[in-house]
Amino acid sequence: MLSFIWWSLESAKWFQEFEAVLLCSSNMGKQSTQFSVLNCIDLSNSDIDQSVRLLKQACLDSGFFYVVNHGISQEFMDEVFTQSEKFFSLPLEEKMKILRNEKHRGYTPVLDELLDPENQVRGDYKEGYYIGVEKGEDDPESKKPFYGQNKWPAPDVLPGWRETMEKFHRETLEVGKAVAKIIALALDLDETFFDQPKMFGEPIAILRLLHYGGQISDPSKGLYGAGAHTDYGLITLLATDDVSGLQICKNRDAKPQIWEDVAPLKGAFIVNLGDMLERWSNCVFKSTLHRVLGNGQERYSIAYFLEPSHDCLVECLPTCKSDSNPAKFPPILCQDYLTQRYKDTHADLKIYKKQQA
């Protein structure tokens, strides 16, 4: 069933493009033809109360929403996708030269990540590339789990590639901070709540380029572009090309689970909440199960995972608990929580050393 987004007046110009995407996607032979109703948050909207209402409704309903008019030009976003495609088009031996390290920087091969071990017969049919906050070896912060030096393709292999990705990393961080201000207001917090030094003062911000190679997914056989999962952290901002594939399940406990397609929207970010925010909000806002099904077409997307600093203590927000609704989770440091989640889903790097021996 085709559905409309709840639009603010300032976002109406996006409607015709979105409708065209829905019509195109419904004819692509996907297993599901039901599209999810997602709210659209316009960051240029001067009516902050309206944005808060739309975002809160989205967070209570699906945990997913679109963000438009975010300040990153369409021209630059197109260039980032072009550069991403150039990297993934390199020979495998060239990409393996910058295989990810223990800091989760660099290339992740196809099948490296296993997100849904109960239902997948092997890893995800996608390859990726991690880029984090750059910290030099002389910086004491580089000793922390998610800080350090990035791994980059050689400049003579991909000229200007690093500069493009570093710029996109910086600009997307600002979009994420703007979204976090609205989330804070939706949780009855001060809009500067996430600007505190131990939160976004030194954030863990990870950019991940993704490429799905055109395999056809078959859930009945345990084959997925990306297995069903919830994201680990605070919020994820996802930019996609015009190929469908992302699906969400609003009720993960339903039997059977009902999956809805999320239509790509050119120039927009698809934003979703992570498990850390669910934990922080005492399950007021919930992270939503999602997956990617391949339909035989190549697909590119770019995920930006925005988390607080390593030393941030994630404990129940004061506005999300009461005598009748006490905290459901014990406090935990952000770095400890994320370290375990990454370890649970990625292949041990030792297997690559054995393959290369």
Side-chain angles (χ1 to χ4, degrees):
M1 179 182 67
L2 300 182
S3 303
F4 296 109
I5 299 177
W6 292 95
W7 298 98
S8 64
L9 291 176
E10 292 84 352
S11 301
K13 68 178 184 177
W14 296 85
F15 173 73
Q16 289 182 332
E17 185 174 347
F18 176 73
E19 185 181 44
V21 168
L22 290 184
L23 292 173
C24 177
S25 300
S26 65
N27 292 316
M28 290 175 61
K30 295 272 313 280
Q31 296 185 29
S32 170
T33 57
Q34 179 172 340
F35 285 85
S36 187
V37 178
L38 297 185
N39 282 2
C40 186
I41 309 303
D42 183 345
L43 292 187
S44 70
N45 186 2
S46 60
D47 187 348
I48 188 65
D49 291 334
Q50 181 188 49
S51 295
V52 170
R53 287 194 302 272
L54 287 170
L55 183 143
K56 187 170 186 177
Q57 181 188 49
C59 293
L60 294 172
D61 174 43
S62 66
F64 273 73
F65 51 91
Y66 295 101
V67 166
V68 300
N69 294 328
H70 42 66
I72 301 178
S73 72
Q74 185 61 56
E75 180 182 17
F76 183 53
M77 292 190 80
D78 290 342
E79 176 62 18
V80 175
F81 273 92
T82 296
Q83 293 297 330
S84 175
E85 185 173 349
K86 285 182 178 179
F87 172 77
F88 289 118
S89 297
L90 293 174
L92 179 60
E93 61 182 24
E94 190 69 38
K95 291 181 286 190
M96 290 298 288
K97 292 178 182 178
I98 42 179
L99 178 69
R100 69 172 173 88
N101 58 22
E102 70 283 351
K103 298 272 190 172
H104 294 285
R105 308 296 178 90
Y107 176 63
T108 56
V110 175
L111 306 182
D112 178 86
E113 192 171 15
L114 182 64
L115 292 167
D116 186 12
E118 291 186 6
N119 294 301
Q120 288 180 261
V121 296
R122 52 181 64 91
D124 294 351
Y125 280 99
K126 70 176 189 292
E127 54 183 340
Y129 192 93
Y130 282 115
I131 302 169
V133 176
E134 187 79 31
K135 297 286 185 181
E137 291 182 354
D138 297 335
D139 190 329
E141 295 288 296
S142 67
K143 307 301 181 185
K144 294 181 178 179
F146 294 95
Y147 288 162
Q149 290 184 298
N150 285 302
K151 302 182 75 171
W152 300 104
D156 60 331
V157 175
L158 292 176
W161 198 88
R162 172 177 179 173
E163 290 75 14
T164 298
M165 296 306 165
E166 287 183 326
K167 179 182 177 183
F168 188 69
H169 193 291
R170 292 192 301 269
E171 293 194 6
T172 309
L173 175 59
E174 295 308 309
V175 178
K177 288 180 176 180
V179 172
K181 288 181 183 294
I182 305 175
I183 290 175
L185 292 171
L187 289 169
D188 297 320
L189 302 165
D190 188 273
E191 69 172 8
T192 63
F193 178 81
F194 291 109
D195 291 334
Q196 298 177 55
K198 283 197 174 182
M199 293 189 190
F200 289 164
E202 289 287 343
I204 298 172
I206 300 173
L207 177 66
R208 192 180 189 194
L209 312 176
L210 294 165
H211 172 231
Y212 299 84
Q215 293 84 1
I216 297 177
S217 297
D218 188 343
S220 68
K221 296 180 179 179
L223 303 176
Y224 297 87
H229 66 286
T230 54
D231 287 349
Y232 316 147
L234 189 65
I235 56 173
T236 302
L237 294 86
L238 182 73
T240 73
D241 61 13
D242 59 359
V243 178
S244 295
L246 176 64
Q247 294 186 328
I248 64 174
C249 176
K250 295 179 182 178
N251 182 1
R252 69 184 80 167
D253 298 320
K255 302 292 183 183
Q257 292 176 335
I258 298 173
W259 290 92
E260 301 176 5
D261 290 304
V262 175
L265 183 59
K266 189 175 180 63
F269 283 107
I270 301 168
V271 180
N272 67 279
L273 313 182
D275 295 339
M276 190 181 299
L277 186 55
E278 177 176 317
R279 187 184 187 108
W280 225 332
S281 68
N282 212 25
C283 297
V284 173
F285 289 171
K286 293 186 178 181
S287 59
T288 299
L289 200 65
H290 55 285
R291 67 186 186 184
V292 174
L293 295 189
N295 59 11
Q297 292 181 293
E298 280 192 282
R299 179 176 180 269
Y300 293 87
S301 64
I302 303 173
Y304 192 87
F305 305 103
L306 181 56
E307 335 291 9
S309 73
H310 285 76
D311 300 322
C312 177
L313 186 66
V314 180
E315 58 183 336
C316 184
L317 297 169
T319 58
C320 297
K321 63 181 179 180
S322 64
D323 291 340
S324 60
N325 183 33
K328 296 176 175 64
F329 307 97
I332 188 171
L333 284 177
C334 177
Q335 63 178 341
D336 295 338
Y337 182 75
L338 290 178
T339 297
Q340 186 59 51
R341 293 299 300 273
Y342 274 85
K343 182 179 179 181
D344 290 342
T345 55
H346 283 78
D348 191 325
L349 287 170
K350 293 178 182 177
I351 69 170
Y352 299 113
K353 293 179 181 178
K354 291 179 181 179
Q355 292 172 359
Q356 294 169 349

